[in-house]
């Protein structure tokens, strides 16, 4: 058993040291501004660094390779560890935050969900607001790395469709994996810097520009004000739309474009489908808002596009309370919640490629009904898709909705109404952020929920972020045999 856990604990130790270093950024910010959170970040950094050092020194090895079982463990343990470490400054610092709320805020941040239990954000210390943004930024980077290097290797939910040479965790492949990590970090940082500049040039303060850029590119959605993005003008909203869309696209494509700057490098069926769906949904909602006189035409286009992009990329920003747009809007945004962005992006949700594969599979089944002896292949990005990838995607979809049902029922048992239970479960599993209804809607907050409901939602957020199977496999007897 020690052999199974030793490499996993070593990686967790390295991540602890990374988190300890990140905590010094808000600590310095707090020291410069002389706010009350400075010592909480310093103390949390020391505790996290000590724990990380102990794990690294006690579990280091000359040879580093991970088996599939260890990768499953590492994926789940590392996200839990990051969530716990991220909660420490909230526990030791802000007096109004209890352990449950601190862990909830941290899990929501590191999984880039964006659900919050905090209110009065505009009056909180900048160090605390910056820490929330950093949690989402590092979580978004982790999501990309997991999607391009770990989940395809583990054949999770059809992700083998995106397997590359870097989806290999043997000794000989680690240099290639390290190179990919550096390229991803570079692209991620460049897009974040461009987003900061875009926000700042359009009128945001430098602090707001940095904080919102970190949570826009990571499609996390934490804001620095209870009004979310509702206090900004249309220019800033369109900047946000652009970078939320970039955050919802595969980052491997951006790396490919950097090495070969041509339109062909960006050609991808998943991206095309993603942009078409966004455009169609935005047009439908814009016409609806104009028809019922909610906004003038340009404002209707801006509000519709911004909130649709925010939900479909699972960012979770809100420029207004769209649940007040009538019954059609409630149903509309509820179903948009499930779609998600592209695989290899920072977005959550079910992912565009699974909908595309499901359509192609259905189309093939219809043709086979007409021509039972026919042989029909499914092509995706010009390559034939093997049946096991289709079956894996279908299994994921079934498990997703089964989990949604059980999570909703458990939340209802804690005393929540059906709207809050259903949309709370949905927004946690898809990592969107706001739900629907008076309590957790776009203008609401998760603070009124019971501690039990919050812990259930924490687990659901981790399940959704890790594509369900990565965690659920740990609860099966077959995983622990042998």
């Amino acid at each position: 058993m020690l052999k199974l856990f030793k490499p996993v604990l070593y990686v967790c130790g390295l991540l602890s040291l990374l988190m300890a270093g990140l905590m010094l950024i808000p600590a310095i910010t707090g020291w410069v501004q002389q706010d009350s959170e400075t010592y909480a970040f310093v103390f949390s950094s020391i505790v996290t660094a000590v724990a990380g050092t102990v794990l690294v020194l006690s579990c280091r090895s000359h040879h580093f390779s991970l088996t599939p079982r260890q990768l499953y463990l590492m994926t789940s343990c590392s996200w839990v560890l990051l969530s716990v470490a991220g909660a420490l400054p909230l526990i030791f610092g802000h007096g109004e935050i209890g352990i449950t709320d601190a862990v909830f805020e941290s899990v929501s941040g590191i999984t880039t969900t964006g659900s919050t239990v905090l209110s009065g954000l505009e009056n909180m210390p900048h160090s605390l607001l910056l820490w929330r943004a950093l949690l989402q930024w590092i979580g978004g980077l982790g999501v990309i790395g997991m999607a391009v290097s770990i989940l395809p290797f583990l054949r999770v939910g059809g992700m083998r469709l995106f397997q590359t040479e870097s989806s290999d965790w043997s000794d000989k492949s680690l240099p290639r994996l390290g190179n990919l990590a550096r390229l991803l970090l570079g692209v991620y940082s460049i897009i974040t810097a461009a987003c900061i500049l875009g926000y700042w040039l359009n009128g945001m303060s430098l602090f707001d520009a940095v904080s919102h850029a970190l949570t826009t590119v990571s499609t996390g959605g934490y804001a620095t004000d209870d009004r979310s993005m509702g206090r900004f003008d249309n220019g800033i909203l369109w900047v946000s739309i652009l970078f939320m869309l970039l955050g919802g696209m595969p980052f491997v494509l951006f790396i490919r474009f950097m090495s070969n700057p041509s339109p062909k490098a960006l050609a991808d069926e998943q991206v095309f489908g993603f942009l078409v769906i966004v455009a169609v949904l935005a047009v439908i909602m814009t016409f609806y808002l104009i028809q019922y006189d909610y906004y003038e035409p340009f404002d209707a286009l801006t509000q519709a596009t911004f909130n649709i992009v925010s939900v479909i990329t699972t960012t979770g920003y809100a420029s207004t309370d769209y649940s007040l747009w009538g019954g059609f809007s409630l149903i509309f945004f509820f179903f948009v919640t499930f779609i998600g962005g592209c695989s290899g992006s920072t977005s959550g949700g079910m992912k565009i490629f699974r909908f595309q594969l499901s359509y192609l599979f259905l189309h093939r089944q219809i043709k086979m009904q007409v021509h039972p002896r026919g042989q029909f292949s499914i092509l995706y990005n010009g390559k034939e898709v093997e049946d096991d990838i289709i079956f894996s995607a279908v299994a994921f979809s079934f498990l997703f909705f089964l989990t949604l049902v059980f999570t909703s029922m458990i939340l209802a048992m804690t005393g929540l109404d059906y709207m809050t239970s259903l949309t709370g479960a949905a927004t946690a599993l898809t990592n969107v952020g706001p739900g629907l209804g008076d309590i957790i809607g776009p203008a609401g907050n998760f603070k009124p929920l019971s501690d039990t409901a919050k812990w259930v939602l924490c687990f659901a957020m981790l399940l959704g972020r890790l594509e369900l199977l990565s965690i659920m496999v740990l609860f099966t007897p077959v995983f622990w045999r042998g």
Side-chain angles (χ1 to χ4, degrees):
M1 189 61 71
L2 179 61
K3 185 178 180 182
L4 178 66
F5 277 96
K6 195 172 181 180
V8 175
L9 294 176
Y10 177 76
V11 173
C12 287
L14 293 176
L15 291 174
S16 296
L17 294 176
L18 171 65
M19 289 293 283
L22 284 175
M23 288 174 189
L24 296 179
I25 298 175
I28 294 172
T29 302
W31 178 73
V32 170
Q33 297 193 341
Q34 296 183 337
D35 70 41
S36 59
E37 305 296 324
T38 303
Y39 295 106
F41 282 104
V42 172
F43 182 68
S44 300
S45 178
I46 293 172
V47 171
T48 308
V50 170
T53 302
V54 171
L55 289 174
V56 168
L57 294 179
S58 60
C59 300
R60 63 180 176 179
S61 174
H62 295 293
H63 299 285
F64 188 88
S65 61
L66 291 168
T67 65
R69 290 173 73 211
Q70 289 169 327
L71 275 173
Y72 277 117
L73 270 175
M74 184 195 76
T75 304
S76 299
C77 290
S78 59
W79 284 84
V80 171
L81 175 102
L82 290 174
S83 299
V84 173
L88 292 180
L90 303 176
I91 294 172
F92 296 137
H94 205 66
E96 300 176 2
I97 304 177
I99 293 178
T100 298
D101 283 353
V103 172
F104 181 93
E105 195 76 10
S106 180
V107 170
S108 181
I110 208 71
T111 59
T112 71
T113 302
S115 303
T116 184
V117 295
L118 302 181
S119 58
L121 296 174
E122 59 274 14
N123 299 317
M124 287 188 175
H126 281 188
S127 58
L128 188 60
L129 297 175
L130 181 60
W131 179 239
R132 295 167 77 243
L134 282 170
L135 283 177
Q136 295 204 319
W137 193 80
I138 197 69
L141 182 61
V143 169
I144 302 169
M146 182 179 67
V148 301
S149 61
I150 298 178
L151 296 183
F153 177 76
L154 296 178
R155 301 168 177 256
V156 171
M159 297 290 280
R160 192 165 68 84
L161 185 65
F162 306 101
Q163 191 157 8
T164 66
E165 290 181 349
S166 298
S167 303
D168 185 356
W169 283 74
S170 60
D171 281 322
K172 64 181 181 180
S173 298
L174 287 178
R176 188 185 298 120
L177 189 61
N179 184 55
L180 175 65
R182 286 189 291 272
L183 290 172
L184 285 175
L185 178 60
V187 169
Y188 193 59
S189 300
I190 290 171
I191 295 176
T192 303
C195 187
I196 293 173
L197 183 62
Y199 279 145
W200 183 65
L201 291 177
N202 278 274
M204 274 194 184
S205 69
L206 183 59
F207 176 77
D208 277 340
V210 171
S211 297
H212 285 90
L214 293 175
T215 61
T216 299
V217 177
S218 64
T219 62
Y222 273 159
T224 59
D225 191 289
D226 287 350
R227 293 168 290 177
S228 189
M229 298 292 276
R231 62 192 175 108
F232 299 115
D233 60 24
N234 287 348
I236 287 178
L237 295 185
W238 281 104
V239 172
S240 186
I241 288 169
L242 170 62
F243 285 97
M244 284 191 291
L245 286 173
L246 291 177
M249 295 181 188
F251 276 69
V252 173
L253 283 187
F254 302 144
I255 294 175
R256 188 191 304 169
F257 181 78
M258 288 177 62
S259 60
N260 179 28
S262 69
K264 289 184 178 179
L266 296 175
D268 184 83
E269 283 191 35
Q270 191 177 196
V271 171
F272 178 76
F274 172 61
L275 294 177
V276 167
I277 290 173
V278 168
V280 170
L281 294 176
V283 168
I284 293 173
M285 183 53 68
T286 299
F287 277 112
Y288 170 79
L289 294 177
I290 294 173
Q291 179 182 359
Y292 289 95
D293 297 322
Y294 284 101
Y295 296 99
E296 293 299 315
F298 182 69
D299 288 335
L301 176 63
T302 301
Q303 293 295 332
T305 305
F306 177 85
N307 287 287
I308 285 168
V309 170
S310 178
V311 173
I312 202 171
T313 61
T314 71
T315 306
Y317 284 145
S319 60
T320 185
D321 188 355
Y322 48 76
S323 64
L324 300 178
W325 293 348
F328 172 76
S329 173
L330 289 173
I331 297 173
F332 184 90
F333 278 100
F334 176 71
F335 286 113
V336 171
T337 296
F338 295 97
I339 298 174
C342 301
S343 176
S345 71
T346 60
S347 296
M350 293 187 67
K351 304 291 190 304
I352 295 294
F353 84 92
R354 292 193 178 102
F355 289 94
Q356 292 173 317
L357 289 182
S358 297
Y359 169 77
L360 293 172
F361 179 65
L362 177 62
H363 185 61
R364 186 180 73 172
Q365 292 303 107
I366 291 174
K367 289 195 292 185
M368 290 179 66
Q369 293 294 319
V370 180
H371 305 286
R373 298 181 182 274
Q375 297 292 324
F376 304 101
S377 299
I378 293 179
L379 299 179
Y380 192 82
N381 277 329
K383 298 180 181 179
E384 184 174 351
V385 180
E386 298 177 16
D387 283 345
D388 70 310
I389 292 177
I390 300 290
F391 298 152
S392 183
V394 171
F396 171 87
S397 301
F398 172 76
L399 180 60
F400 180 91
F401 285 108
L402 189 65
T403 306
L404 175 66
V405 170
F406 277 105
T407 306
S408 301
M409 293 174 67
I410 294 171
L411 290 174
M413 291 173 65
T414 67
L416 297 175
D417 62 90
Y418 75 93
M419 176 69 79
T420 304
S421 299
L422 180 58
T423 62
T427 195
L429 288 170
T430 56
N431 304 119
V432 170
L436 295 172
D438 296 332
I439 302 175
I440 62 171
N445 189 284
F446 285 73
K447 178 70 174 178
L449 273 58
S450 67
D451 285 356
T452 302
K454 289 171 186 172
W455 285 109
V456 170
L457 288 172
C458 284
F459 184 62
M461 285 188 280
L462 288 169
L463 276 177
R465 186 76 280 173
L466 300 182
E467 304 279 336
L468 283 87
L469 289 168
S470 297
I471 288 185
M472 287 193 170
V473 71
L474 302 182
F475 295 94
T476 61
V478 68
F479 178 85
W480 300 100
R481 275 192 208 123

